[in-house]
Amino acid sequence: MEKEDLKIVNRGLEDEMELSGYRLCRWKLVLVGLGGLCTGGFLFLLLYWMPEWCVKATCTRSAVRDADVALLQSTDEFKRWFRAKVRIMLAPGKDPYDNLASQTVSHRANDHAHNPSDSAPGKITRNPEDQHVPKRYFTLHSTKYFWNESIQNFEVLKGLEDLSMTCSSVHSKHSAGLNKNQQEYRRFFFGLNEIDVKVPSLFKLLIKEVLNPFYIFQLFSVILWCTDAYYYYAMAIVIMSVISIATSLYTIKKQYVMLHDMVAAHSTVRVTVCRGENETEEALSTDLVPGDVIVIPSNGIIMPCDAVLICGTCIVNESMLTGESVPVTKTDLPNPQQDIKGGDGDAIYSTEEHKRHTLFCGTNIIQTRYYTGEMVKAVVVRTGFSTAKGQLIRSILYPKPTDFKLYRDAYLFLLCLVAVASIVFVYSLVMKIINQEPVKEIIVKSLDIITITVPPALPAAMTAGIVYAQRRLRKVGIFSISPQRINICGQLNLVCFDKTGTLTEDGLDMWGIQRVEDGRFHHSEEKADDKSLVTTKFVSCMAACHSLTKIEGQLSGDPLDLKMFEATGWILVEATEEETAHHDRIELTYVKPPNQLLPPSVTSPEQDMELSELYELSASYMIGIVRQFSFSSALQRMSVVVRQIGERRMDAYLKGAPEVVASLCKKETVPDDFAEVLEDYTKQGFRVIALAHRRLESKLTFHKVQSINRDQIEKNMDFLGLIIMQNKLKTETPGVLEDLRRANIRTVMVTGDNMLTAISVARDCGMIQPQDRVIIADALPPKDGQAAKIDWHYADQPSKQLNKPTKLEEMEIIMEDGHSVDEMRIQEQYHFAMSGKSFAVIIEHFQDLLQKALKRAHAGISLSELEASVASPFTSTTPNITCVPNLIREGRAALITSFCVFKFMALYSIIQCLSVALLYSIGSNLGDFQFLFIDIAIILVIVFTMSLNSAWKELVAQRPPSGLVSGPLLFSVLTQIIICLGFQIMAFLLIQKLDWYSKPDFYNCFVPHHMDDFTNSTKERIKNDVNTTVFFVSSFQYLIVAIVFSKGKPFRQPSYKNWPFVLSALILIGFLFFIMFFPVAEIDDFLELVCVPLSWRVSMVLILLGNTGMSVFIETVVLDVILWKHVFSRDKQGSYGISPAAPTPQGGIDQFGTKCLTWLCCRQKKVPKARYMHLAQELSVDPDWPPKPKSTTEAKPAPHPDDYSYQIEAIS
């Protein structure tokens, strides 16, 4: 098939995929069926595991529009394959947004949402002569993809945003709602409005788990062992696998139930739906479709969909989605005036751009406000899995594979074990053929070698460390909905923090105000509730320009707004529900100063009552809030339109980032020293808010204000002054950041505050050390034919051009460990600070400076009182950042535990494989109960107790390896394999060369057994002195490597504090010594052991002592002291040929030894694998890096017209 038939779906999105079409082929299906029968079903299993092979083996390539099966491959680095069956449903139209005014309804179509292919004609019809239209679609990851003839591709119907509607069209075309006919028609395409997290039945989960390749291999092993009469061992492995499967099923089922309960809160909500201008009806939320208009009840609701407000105001708690528990005010979508429709003021509606007007699914509507009898209405925009909450749930249900080296290396580890088994398999095959054993014996015994090398307890052993870590995290208030990420947290080397509420306290304290009059700053004043200021525009702006509301009589809203309003001492009054039908919108919310702040009354007793009432009305100085323009992070400001009681004209008040507010004010009202005063406050770490005022024209009536664009209000303002807020650090912040700094974990601040304030806070909390430099990168996009450029300046000498708007996203990128090869060159630490806009320009135009940006965090923590949140995989109920080092410590402990288990299981497999191979060479084998004792009593007990080591009490600079294929781990495993094999072979050969080996009368206990006298009985072939020797030596070797591998510091607590492990190891060692030196006939008969001479038992002890001493020396002295510190060190000062800035205080011999080891093991000039380390190495020798103060970097187009890269030119 032509390459052109390869389609791209979800282009530009995270789940972008390539799509190919296939049609089922009968002769291929027949061949696959025959092949599956001939292979005993193995071919079916292989095709089940490999979707790509399955499709290509049973189908032929076809055009996508005619396909029966869709084969999709993700375009990300994982290149995952998916298979989906293309179905056909009969719909009464092609486009879900068709106008169906002429249609008639005979039945409801709710039953078609789950399986549209079953739709029957006659459910919804146009005219009798019209035919239903076949609509091709397939479902993948709870998302339907419909075939679109116009674009000749499959596409996802998300909702009303597909129409690219403007804000005005939302009001004009969609505010009336849908009739029932239109609603049911659209439900054909969008399905039921539900985020259906189906909890799979235990049977389905069991089948999926059992079809795992590992358990299929276990099944094959059990069958093989049964043919070899290892019934007890096979039964034990079956029981172990059943327990492992049951544990896994319980965990998976529990996670499904938890997720189902989290999303089921809105599934059966009853809503009021508008069916025309004045007609409403009650309906289930599952019946909603995009385009429906719903009424938000005054007592609140859990939103069942994404909807845009078209009338009224809502107070919303969005903690379920964002983790932030501060209530947010949502206002109705602006409706631009008729004469400016289609202009700049009539923007295309987007849930992201208009999120201040959008109610998101899963959020809790706490309270609503409606005016003059109007209802609070919202137009449904997206339903089901297309909603914001639905997309989060999809990311949990169908997560991307974890790009973690440990999990990739795990498969390589198993392949290595299989490779070793193959070598021993060939060896045993040759030996048994030479010994002329029966064919059945040769096949069974040879295959037995392969089954021994894959440990049956591996899945359960690998999850044990994570389960224990999750339990410890729960005790310190950290909960997880993705336990597999705990291991990843052990490798974190960068943490991004929000500032307000994370590094600093949630609340802001009022430090003071600095008013402006006649274009000049007054002296700073401490309080805003002074009687002399009560009637000033400055205090009026503080009291009116906010989004606060009352919830159950308590003021609620943004902490900054709360502090600012409380500082005025004013009172906020909202009308009761009964009053709303009799009052205009202006009177519903108003603010007024308390009586004690008002000027004293001058009314004389002689004045009549009417004059006194008029004076009291004017003296009350009540300000009614006519309209709010909510705070926008993109605009960095909010404003309100107000009217003072008794006044005809209205006023506009504005607050926001000082640079933005100043740019919207008349130049003559902004003080000349504005930049210097602002810089002085921000460098001290204060949060600075600017205020402005404008007297509106008298022609602006109440109704005109409701539809006016905010840009027409927020201009030609009078600058009022500055509010200075103090944001105190949380007491835990400096200590935690210092711990992270000592652990070589980079810390980054991402905040919406002023850049200089952020830098000041970073210095105060220790994120930036006092001696470090901060370089501000101010990137400017191309303009008027000039190339994009970056202006560099140091924070200590910042640019005075602060009138430019700065996006409320600040990012600090810390470049560390940049050291010159010249040891005498002093390298200072430097940090970068840039605005979000500058960062965007650098990504687009300076890719050589920033070649790869972090798109997705490996782990996220939400500080929330909830135990589970879809906002992040981890949730901490502790409201400070102490959870970060706790999570990293437990992640490191879990990661090291995983490595310990892998290493131990590898040694266990190799040791047992060698034991069997040695015994095969003399026609023997380990007995059924010997296998049972080793696997159950030793391996299982040791694996589950060695995983109990808790995390080390502090973070260290050294990081654990990221994968199994790393220098330290490979050295450790290979050396221990050589040691164990060497001592086991030594014991095997020595016993056969001793004098008593061929003298039966030499035995001083029981009857001698050796291979010269064995009969054909299986029992007699097992019970011999070589078997007994190999059993004792190998059993002790399992315990030796377990103790050697079970390391504590620096990532875990010492093993002697893990009392279950110590107790288990001591009991096993004591038991083995007991049956070795004090034989018990019953035990020896059970384990099929023979009694060997005392001298040989002593010799075995000496061999084991030598084994122990060698293993401990290699692991603790050679690896941990010599190689780890000098060769495998993760401290990048000593890596990749980059010397430290100052010579280390070591002797000449130590330096020579270090250089030799480095040269031998990793070569002096080795290029680092990590991209950022490679860049750090290049930058460390670049004389032009870091950029010089007051210099400029320009991006110039490359000379070749087809090359869109940029050349970097530095201009001082």
Side-chain angles (χ1 to χ4, degrees), residues 23 132 330 392 706 754 760 772 806 819 866 872 933 1004 1064 1084 1106 1122:
R23 294 186 70 87
H132 281 66
K330 298 295 180 86
L392 281 172
Q706 301 310 313
N754 179 279
S760 174
D772 293 352
T806 306
H819 299 281
L866 299 172
S872 61
F933 175 79
N1004 57 5
S1064 302
D1084 284 359
I1122 300 174

Side-chain angles (χ1 to χ4, degrees), residues 630-891:
S630 299
F631 175 79
S632 164
S633 58
L635 300 175
Q636 305 174 59
R637 63 182 186 264
M638 80 160 289
S639 59
V640 292
V641 176
V642 302
R643 184 170 72 185
Q644 186 175 334
I645 302 300
E647 293 279 346
R648 289 185 177 275
R649 293 175 66 179
M650 299 184 193
D651 296 274
Y653 289 114
L654 173 74
K655 75 169 184 185
E659 304 93 336
V660 176
V661 173
S663 68
L664 298 173
C665 292
K666 302 171 188 172
K667 288 186 177 180
E668 62 271 16
T669 64
V670 180
D672 294 335
D673 58 346
F674 165 75
E676 288 79 2
V677 171
L678 175 61
E679 181 183 326
D680 184 53
Y681 283 127
T682 54
K683 287 176 76 172
Q684 295 178 60
F686 290 116
R687 178 84 178 265
V688 183
I689 306 293
L691 306 181
H693 163 260
R694 176 186 166 196
R695 188 78 164 161
L696 297 178
E697 298 80 4
S698 56
K699 64 180 181 180
L700 273 178
T701 63
F702 167 78
H703 294 289
K704 286 184 178 179
V705 166
Q706 301 310 313
S707 58
I708 198 169
N709 192 288
R710 71 185 296 168
D711 292 335
Q712 295 178 283
I713 297 291
E714 297 168 347
K715 63 180 182 180
N716 298 324
M717 311 286 285
D718 294 329
F719 193 78
L720 294 178
L722 304 173
I723 302 174
I724 299 96
M725 314 286 283
Q726 191 173 19
N727 196 195
K728 294 179 181 177
L729 285 173
K730 291 183 178 179
T731 54
E732 301 86 1
T733 297
V736 171
L737 293 180
E738 177 61 21
D739 290 344
L740 295 176
R741 190 185 69 82
R742 283 200 302 262
N744 277 344
I745 295 173
R746 295 165 54 202
T747 51
V748 169
M749 184 190 297
V750 184
T751 178
D753 212 336
N754 179 279
M755 190 184 296
L756 294 179
T757 301
I759 293 171
S760 174
V761 171
R763 288 196 183 277
D764 291 342
C765 67
M767 189 176 283
I768 300 174
Q769 296 298 299
Q771 68 275 11
D772 293 352
R773 290 283 217 168
V774 179
I775 303 171
I776 296 177
D778 186 13
L780 303 173
K783 188 178 180 181
D784 299 332
Q786 296 183 348
K789 65 178 181 178
I790 305 175
D791 293 327
W792 309 93
H793 48 267
Y794 285 23
D796 293 340
Q797 304 152 353
S799 170
K800 305 300 182 185
Q801 298 175 357
L802 291 172
N803 288 328
K804 297 179 181 179
T806 306
K807 189 175 181 180
L808 284 183
E809 295 176 13
E810 310 298 344
M811 183 169 294
E812 174 210 351
I813 300 177
I814 299 178
M815 299 291 296
E816 292 183 350
D817 307 318
H819 299 281
S820 170
V821 172
D822 183 6
E823 294 185 0
M824 300 305 295
R825 175 182 171 185
I826 299 175
Q827 182 74 40
E828 63 178 354
Q829 296 290 328
Y830 51 92
H831 310 252
F832 286 108
M834 67 188 75
S835 68
K837 288 182 179 178
S838 294
F839 189 65
V841 171
I842 291 173
I843 287 178
E844 183 178 356
H845 299 286
F846 296 86
Q847 295 183 3
D848 291 340
L849 288 181
L850 192 65
Q851 299 191 24
K852 185 177 181 181
L854 180 68
K855 293 182 180 178
R856 190 185 303 107
H858 293 93
I861 311 176
S862 173
L863 303 184
S864 173
E865 295 178 359
L866 299 172
E867 285 192 7
S869 170
V870 296
S872 61
F874 296 98
T875 304
S876 173
T877 55
T878 306
N880 56 60
I881 62 171
T882 53
C883 57
V884 175
N886 286 337
L887 181 59
I888 296 175
R889 286 190 305 106
E890 289 296 346

